[in-house]
């Protein structure tokens, strides 16, 4: 982890309580100035970190910023699992993308980083989120928008990947939000009559053989609709960590 991720994880672990700059510096073997710079960078990125002289820094208990460090913290002891430790190593969080599915396809074509089975790409917002039949999927800040790159040869049931992902998302949302989720024929998820999640799977094939080389599964969860349906409000890091635990079993 870099300095920013280390600071985020420490503040997430102590959420609602102040952590001194001195203790952070000592814990990570950094200077107080390096901690101060890291805190200021995080504030510029939107983290609602409170700073009080002689107390230190605090991430409010109701803050809900998605971060790789926060997701890893929610996974806790589960990271001992080889499959989950591999997934967290190949987890990428962006502030904004046109579309996580487009980014996944872009990375597969450009191979800018080590693309492996179950690489996960997350965006806090999307400008060109897509749904079925080319429809626009509204993706404002506050939702969960992710795509996972899958190798068909490594899946237990490659022919039912979209349905399997829909079942995993259903289980997580029902358990964490305490709601009843209904899965439609297109694998969209609803509570009552309101759509809470869309799932879009795209296949990438080899031009010469026509064989599918990768699947890209996009998941968009609408936080506004979930807020109407449930009084429970788990952190988005917690929801993503729970989804990853389900994905690891695919």
């Amino acid at each position: 982890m870099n300095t920013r991720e280390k600071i985020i994880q420490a503040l997430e672990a102590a959420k609602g309580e102040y952590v001194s700059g001195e203790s952070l510096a000592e814990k990570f073997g950094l200077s107080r100035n390096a901690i101060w710079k890291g805190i200021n960078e995080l504030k510029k990125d939107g983290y609602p970190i409170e700073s009080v002289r002689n107390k230190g820094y605090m991430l409010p208990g109701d803050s809900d910023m998605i971060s790789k460090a926060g997701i890893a913290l929610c996974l806790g002891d589960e990271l001992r699992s080889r499959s989950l430790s591999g997934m967290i190593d190949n987890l990428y969080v962006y502030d904004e993308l046109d579309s996580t599915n487009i980014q996944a396809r872009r990375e597969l074509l450009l191979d800018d980083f080590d693309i492996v089975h179950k690489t996960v790409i997350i965006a806090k917002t999307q400008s060109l989120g897509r749904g079925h039949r080319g429809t626009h999927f509204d993706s404002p800040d506050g939702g969960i928008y992710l795509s996972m790159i899958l190798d068909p040869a490594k899946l237990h049931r490659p022919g039912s990947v979209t349905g399997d992902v829909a079942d995993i998302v259903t289980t997580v949302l029902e358990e964490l939000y305490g709601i009843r989720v209904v899965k439609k024929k297109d694998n969209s998820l609803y509570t009552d009559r309101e759509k809470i999640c869309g799932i879009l799977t795209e296949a990438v094939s080899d031009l010469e053989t026509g064989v599918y080389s990768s699947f890209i599964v996009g998941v968009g969860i609408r936080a506004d609709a979930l807020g109407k349906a449930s009084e429970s409000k788990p952190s988005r890091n917690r929801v993503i960590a729970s989804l990853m635990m389900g994905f690891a079993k695919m």
Side-chain angles (χ1 to χ4, degrees):
M1 290 190 293
N2 59 33
T3 298
R4 287 161 49 94
E5 290 173 337
K6 290 176 180 178
I7 294 172
I8 292 170
Q9 191 168 68
L11 295 182
E12 284 277 3
K15 188 179 285 187
E17 299 179 359
Y18 284 97
V19 181
S20 71
E22 182 179 1
S23 66
L24 290 173
E26 183 177 344
K27 180 177 182 179
F28 300 128
L30 298 169
S31 67
R32 291 283 299 274
N33 190 51
I35 296 297
W36 180 80
K37 286 183 177 179
I39 290 289
N40 284 331
E41 288 177 3
L42 291 169
K43 286 182 177 180
K44 289 179 181 178
D45 287 344
Y47 281 86
I49 299 172
E50 298 180 7
S51 304
V52 175
R53 186 183 295 275
N54 297 325
K55 282 190 175 182
Y57 310 104
M58 179 181 73
L59 197 59
D62 59 354
S63 64
D64 190 22
M65 295 288 286
I66 295 174
S67 68
K68 182 174 181 176
I71 294 166
L73 184 66
C74 290
L75 287 171
D77 290 342
E78 298 290 341
L79 276 180
R80 294 175 183 172
S81 161
R82 181 177 299 177
S83 57
L84 274 170
S85 61
M87 287 183 73
I88 202 72
D89 288 340
N90 293 284
L91 171 66
Y92 300 88
V93 179
Y94 295 86
D95 287 332
E96 182 179 0
L97 287 174
D98 44 7
S99 158
T100 56
N101 267 31
I102 292 174
Q103 181 68 14
R105 186 177 289 273
R106 187 182 293 133
E107 297 297 350
L108 280 171
L109 291 173
L110 298 177
D111 196 21
D112 277 354
F113 53 68
D114 187 20
I115 296 295
V116 298
H117 181 52
K118 296 181 181 176
T119 289
V120 176
I121 297 169
I122 296 171
K124 296 174 185 177
T125 63
Q126 298 181 120
S127 58
L128 294 175
R130 292 182 294 142
H132 293 281
R133 301 184 183 88
T135 58
H136 176 70
F137 187 89
D138 192 30
S139 311
D141 189 22
I144 295 173
Y145 317 110
L146 66 84
S147 291
M148 179 168 51
I149 299 172
L150 300 171
D151 181 346
K154 296 181 180 179
L155 291 169
H156 298 307
R157 303 197 312 164
S160 59
V161 61
T162 309
D164 288 347
V165 169
D167 289 341
I168 291 168
V169 177
T170 295
T171 298
V172 168
L173 297 184
E174 288 187 334
E175 289 182 351
L176 294 184
Y177 287 91
I179 57 176
R180 180 174 178 271
V181 175
V182 177
K183 183 172 74 170
K184 301 293 186 178
K185 289 183 179 180
D186 65 355
N187 290 299
S188 294
L189 305 181
Y190 285 74
T191 178
D192 294 328
R193 295 183 180 180
E194 191 159 13
K195 184 175 180 178
I196 56 173
C197 177
I199 298 171
L200 178 65
T201 300
E202 299 176 292
V204 179
S205 61
D206 185 290
L207 290 177
E208 293 184 359
T209 65
V211 176
Y212 292 142
S213 57
S214 301
F215 291 139
I216 299 172
V217 185
V219 178
I221 299 176
R222 301 181 187 276
D224 55 346
L226 283 169
K228 296 175 186 176
S230 172
E231 294 182 359
S232 178
K233 294 182 180 180
S235 72
R236 289 179 293 168
N237 287 331
R238 171 65 63 189
V239 175
I240 294 168
S242 297
L243 290 175
M244 290 178 66
M245 283 188 273
F247 297 155
K249 299 174 184 177
M250 292 179 63

